[in-house]
Amino acid sequence: MAMLRKFRTVIAIVFFLSLTLLFLDFTGTIHCYLGWMAKVQLLPALLALNVAVVALLLLLTFLFGRVYCSVICPLGVMQDIFAWTSKHFKKNRYTYSPAKNKLRIAALIVFVALTLIPGASAIAHLIAPYSAYGRIAANLFAPVYLWCNNLLAYFAERAESYTFYSVDVWLKSGISIAVAAATLIGISFLAWRNGRTWCNNICPVGTALGFIAKYSLIKIHLDNEKCIKCGLCAKNCKSSCIDVKNGKIDYSRCVACYDCLDTCKKGALTYKLKPSCKKKEIENTDASRRKFIATGAILTAGITLKAQEKKMDGGLSAIQDKKIPTRSTALKPAGSLSIKHFSNHCTACQLCVSVCPNGVLRPSEKLDSLMQPEMSYERGYCRPECVRCSEVCPTGAIRRITTNEKSAVHIGYAVWIKENCLVTNDSISCGKCANVCPTGAIIMTPQNGDESTKIPCVNTERCIGCGACENMCPARPLSAIYVEGRETHIVD
């Protein structure tokens, strides 16, 4: 049994480190090999309508219990890490506690309800496990990782080695950092004190999988004839689900960590195929399964259904921070189809934000799209040859597209603001926006018949909304030309 627990621990660590690296990697190479690990997370797979992955995870739970929570889910593994550190301060610290089913069901219902309400799904995903961990990794772990990389690059350069190279460390959103920090502190404190408190009381995925885990085929069994009621198993159960007094185990909360198996010295705990049930038990099981299917259907239907600025002068004006323009319609990446589609499928895990090489994506601070990615062009523009965000999105919020397909997607259109333009204010020649436009959507026309000072004229039918013009415009603090988003993307 010790070997079983060690095997589970090794696989869990591999998943945890690999998923964390997906949010830390700034080279783009790791996603080629490990990107599938984000796509096998339950909620992203549901939102992406990935039937094969969802069926596999449900089957895995039906066979072995909640191994998803103890092996695949990064937030679950993170809780185990904090719970493990507390062992050095106090051993045998857990006690059995009755299931708080009302709280669990209430949290699940609230999650489903918020998912169904337009504009509220971003709030719902605050408690989604994969998304919560993604925000922690992207906003808290990634900057530290990049700073360490830059430190190594500093020393390597002085040793005339270029194994490492310095990268820009960008803290994208104060609100996102605050939420990530609060989530980390809250969940880690609960895990340090009481183990899987968050998993078994708040997490909607844990509650949903718990319905299936109650009837899993292979599970931990407590032999009351061998049990001497010492309580060691309960004192080491981080899910607080072993009721030694009554000789029962709450399988809806058991995360199949196997810690209890090694503590029993009398062989009263075994991990095996469940024995055959009596007729009455089968009838009760069937009724409970029908209840689970109804709840699961509701859950599945529900789910289906300000940034740090970079200084640059453009070569024509003094270095000054650029301000984000006020857009009537938010900009969403090519492949997201529409704002509605993106909002309904995005879990705000911020994996796309982490991999964006151009500094275009950042977490939203608006309530209706809180921490879901949005685009802005103060640090760079959305290059037509880059499709990284569509390659890593695990939920289908940004559907995978090719570079050729991206060039045909119109996510927005440029708008010229006469009052901000250097040509009209300073009577100088510029034309920067027209020079950098990759589609030729901007042409310079004479201002009041004066050929020496031309102003931009935008062909909105040709503009794809890449933001090159907005990014390269030398006007400060607001660009003289900016991109307005489209509710529904147009494809040529």
Side-chain angles (χ1 to χ4, degrees), residues 336-352:
S336 57
L337 304 183
S338 67
I339 292 179
K340 181 178 179 181
H341 175 271
F342 186 86
S343 177
N344 288 341
H345 289 77
C346 177
T347 65
C349 72
Q350 298 180 16
L351 184 57
C352 58

Side-chain angles (χ1 to χ4, degrees), residues 102-181:
K102 290 184 178 179
L103 176 61
R104 299 169 73 189
I105 298 300
L108 180 60
I109 292 174
V110 169
F111 177 81
V112 175
L114 289 175
T115 302
L116 291 171
I117 299 174
S121 60
I123 304 299
H125 291 135
L126 288 175
I127 62 173
Y130 167 72
S131 304
Y133 182 76
R135 289 188 289 270
I136 291 171
N139 292 285
L140 302 180
F141 298 164
V144 176
Y145 178 82
L146 296 178
W147 281 322
C148 291
N149 170 82
N150 290 350
L151 184 61
L152 289 173
Y154 174 82
F155 288 111
E157 183 179 355
R158 273 143 187 78
E160 297 184 352
S161 170
Y162 297 94
T163 304
F164 301 93
Y165 59 91
S166 181
V167 294
D168 185 25
V169 182
W170 177 31
L171 304 179
K172 302 176 181 66
S173 167
I175 290 180
S176 190
I177 292 173
V179 171

Side-chain angles (χ1 to χ4, degrees), residues 170-388:
W170 177 31
L171 304 179
K172 302 176 181 66
S173 167
I175 290 180
S176 190
I177 292 173
V179 171
T183 304
L184 176 62
I185 293 171
I187 293 180
S188 60
F189 177 75
L190 290 174
W192 193 84
R193 286 198 61 185
N194 299 305
R196 290 288 187 125
T197 302
W198 174 272
C199 267
N200 287 329
N201 293 287
I202 303 299
C203 179
V205 173
T207 300
L209 292 180
F211 286 119
I212 305 178
K214 288 173 66 175
Y215 314 108
S216 58
L217 297 181
I218 304 174
K219 60 180 67 172
I220 297 171
H221 292 274
L222 178 59
D223 189 337
N224 288 305
E225 294 182 359
K226 295 181 179 180
C227 182
I228 61 174
K229 309 298 182 184
C230 67
L232 276 176
C233 55
K235 292 176 182 179
N236 286 274
C237 177
K238 60 172 98 38
S239 295
S240 301
C241 65
I242 303 178
D243 184 1
V244 176
K245 183 178 179 180
N246 297 307
K248 295 181 180 180
I249 299 176
D250 184 355
Y251 295 109
S252 70
R253 290 186 290 159
C254 176
V255 295
C257 66
Y258 313 130
D259 288 350
C260 59
L261 297 177
D262 295 336
T263 63
C264 183
K265 308 303 180 183
K266 301 298 180 179
L269 287 172
T270 54
Y271 184 64
K272 62 182 181 180
L273 188 68
K274 69 178 181 178
S276 58
C277 304
K278 297 178 182 179
K279 182 177 181 181
K280 185 176 180 180
E281 292 175 334
I282 293 175
E283 291 175 353
N284 292 336
T285 298
D286 289 341
S288 298
R289 283 177 180 168
R290 286 194 294 271
K291 182 179 179 181
F292 159 73
I293 291 172
T295 306
I298 294 174
L299 176 65
T300 303
I303 294 176
T304 302
L305 295 173
K306 188 129 167 239
Q308 185 183 10
E309 311 299 342
K310 184 177 181 180
K311 297 179 179 180
M312 53 186 296
D313 64 0
L316 293 176
S317 64
I319 296 177
Q320 184 180 5
D321 285 349
K322 260 195 175 185
K323 291 184 178 180
I324 300 175
T326 301
R327 308 181 204 274
S328 301
T329 305
L331 283 163
K332 300 300 180 183
S336 57
L337 304 183
S338 67
I339 292 179
K340 181 178 179 181
H341 175 271
F342 186 86
S343 177
N344 288 341
H345 289 77
C346 177
T347 65
C349 72
Q350 298 180 16
L351 184 57
C352 58
V353 177
S354 298
V355 303
C356 179
N358 306 311
V360 170
L361 289 170
R362 71 281 311 274
S364 170
E365 298 183 354
K366 302 170 186 173
L367 186 60
D368 61 344
S369 58
L370 186 63
M371 288 181 291
Q372 290 183 342
E374 64 180 9
M375 303 173 71
S376 199
Y377 302 126
E378 288 68 54
R379 297 177 61 86
Y381 66 94
C382 192
R383 299 180 182 275
E385 70 274 12
C386 177
V387 290
R388 292 274 294 279

Side-chain angles (χ1 to χ4, degrees), residues 38-58:
K39 297 180 181 180
V40 298
Q41 301 297 312
L42 184 56
L43 283 177
L46 274 173
L47 292 169
L49 298 179
N50 195 331
V51 178
V53 171
V54 174
L56 179 62
L57 294 177
L58 296 181

